[in-house]
Protein backbone atom coordinates (compact mmCIF):
# COMPACT_ATOMS: atom_id res chain seq x y z
CA UNK A 1 0.00 0.00 0.00
CA UNK A 2 1.25 3.47 -0.90
CA UNK A 3 0.49 6.41 1.35
CA UNK A 4 -0.31 9.25 -1.08
CA UNK A 5 -1.47 12.86 -0.94
CA UNK A 6 -4.53 14.58 -2.41
CA UNK A 7 -3.08 14.42 -5.92
CA UNK A 8 -3.81 10.70 -6.15
CA UNK A 9 -7.21 9.02 -6.13
CA UNK A 10 -8.14 6.68 -3.33
CA UNK A 11 -7.96 3.37 -5.13
CA UNK A 12 -6.47 -0.08 -4.75
CA UNK A 13 -3.05 0.17 -3.03
CA UNK A 14 -3.24 4.01 -2.87
CA UNK A 15 -4.27 5.36 0.51
CA UNK A 16 -5.15 9.04 0.19
CA UNK A 17 -6.57 11.39 2.84
CA UNK A 18 -10.18 12.58 2.78
CA UNK A 19 -10.64 15.74 0.70
CA UNK A 20 -12.26 18.76 2.27
CA UNK A 21 -11.36 17.57 5.78
CA UNK A 22 -8.68 19.02 8.07
CA UNK A 23 -5.35 17.42 7.24
CA UNK A 24 -2.18 19.27 8.26
CA UNK A 25 -0.61 18.65 11.66
CA UNK A 26 -0.88 22.32 12.62
CA UNK A 27 -4.66 22.07 12.09
CA UNK A 28 -4.80 19.70 15.07
CA UNK A 29 -2.37 21.43 17.43
CA UNK A 30 -3.49 23.48 20.38
CA UNK A 31 -6.32 23.21 22.82
CA UNK A 32 -9.73 22.06 21.55
CA UNK A 33 -8.34 21.06 18.13
CA UNK A 34 -8.79 17.30 18.50
CA UNK A 35 -10.34 15.39 15.59
CA UNK A 36 -14.11 15.78 15.61
CA UNK A 37 -15.06 12.72 13.54
CA UNK A 38 -13.69 9.56 11.94
CA UNK A 39 -12.54 11.31 8.77
CA UNK A 40 -10.54 13.90 10.69
CA UNK A 41 -9.02 11.17 12.85
CA UNK A 42 -8.04 9.23 9.72
CA UNK A 43 -6.47 12.35 8.19
CA UNK A 44 -4.57 13.07 11.42
CA UNK A 45 -3.18 9.52 11.45
CA UNK A 46 -2.41 9.76 7.72
CA UNK A 47 -0.44 13.01 8.00
CA UNK A 48 1.34 11.77 11.13
CA UNK A 49 2.51 8.65 9.31
CA UNK A 50 3.56 10.66 6.24
CA UNK A 51 5.56 12.93 8.53
CA UNK A 52 7.42 9.95 10.03
CA UNK A 53 8.11 8.49 6.58
CA UNK A 54 9.49 11.83 5.34
CA UNK A 55 11.78 12.04 8.39
CA UNK A 56 13.04 8.51 7.73
CA UNK A 57 13.82 9.42 4.12
CA UNK A 58 15.72 12.47 5.40
CA UNK A 59 17.76 10.28 7.72
CA UNK A 60 18.48 7.79 4.94
CA UNK A 61 19.61 10.60 2.62
CA UNK A 62 21.96 11.99 5.24
CA UNK A 63 23.42 8.58 6.15
CA UNK A 64 23.60 6.99 2.70
CA UNK A 65 24.57 9.31 -0.14
CA UNK A 66 23.26 6.87 -2.74
CA UNK A 67 19.74 8.04 -1.82
CA UNK A 68 20.41 11.72 -2.53
CA UNK A 69 19.58 11.19 -6.20
CA UNK A 70 17.57 8.62 -8.09
CA UNK A 71 20.02 5.74 -8.58
CA UNK A 72 20.10 4.23 -12.08
CA UNK A 73 19.17 0.78 -10.80
CA UNK A 74 16.16 -1.41 -11.44
CA UNK A 75 13.33 -0.85 -8.98
CA UNK A 76 13.92 -4.27 -7.39
CA UNK A 77 17.57 -3.37 -6.78
CA UNK A 78 16.54 -0.04 -5.24
CA UNK A 79 14.21 -1.85 -2.84
CA UNK A 80 17.02 -4.21 -1.86
CA UNK A 81 19.35 -1.23 -1.25
CA UNK A 82 16.86 0.27 1.18
CA UNK A 83 16.48 -3.05 3.01
CA UNK A 84 20.26 -3.55 3.23
CA UNK A 85 20.81 -0.03 4.54
CA UNK A 86 17.98 -0.38 7.06
CA UNK A 87 19.54 -3.52 8.50
CA UNK A 88 23.03 -2.08 8.92
Amino acid sequence: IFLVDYGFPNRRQFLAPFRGVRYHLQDFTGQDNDPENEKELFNLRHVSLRNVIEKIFGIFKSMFTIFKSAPPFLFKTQVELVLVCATT
Side-chain angles (χ1 to χ4, degrees):
I1 294 181
F2 296 95
L3 202 63
V4 297
D5 62 15
Y6 292 116
F8 291 87
N10 223 348
R11 61 183 192 172
R12 186 179 173 144
Q13 295 192 2
F14 283 34
L15 191 57
F18 288 100
R19 292 180 184 267
V21 179
R22 287 191 298 168
Y23 180 73
H24 299 285
L25 284 176
Q26 63 265 22
D27 295 340
F28 296 100
T29 57
Q31 194 171 14
D32 298 326
N33 279 334
D34 293 334
E36 296 177 3
N37 55 47
E38 295 85 12
K39 289 182 179 182
E40 285 190 355
L41 180 60
F42 176 86
N43 279 5
L44 174 59
R45 296 288 201 274
H46 188 281
V47 72
S48 297
L49 185 55
R50 274 194 67 203
N51 192 315
V52 169
I53 291 168
E54 288 176 10
K55 286 181 181 181
I56 290 169
F57 275 114
I59 292 168
F60 263 62
K61 286 180 180 181
S62 68
M63 292 178 66
F64 306 102
T65 56
I66 195 166
F67 296 117
K68 288 187 178 181
S69 62
F73 303 117
L74 296 173
F75 181 75
K76 182 179 183 219
T77 304
Q78 292 180 42
V79 170
E80 291 170 352
L81 279 171
V82 171
L83 293 174
V84 167
C85 292
T87 58
T88 59

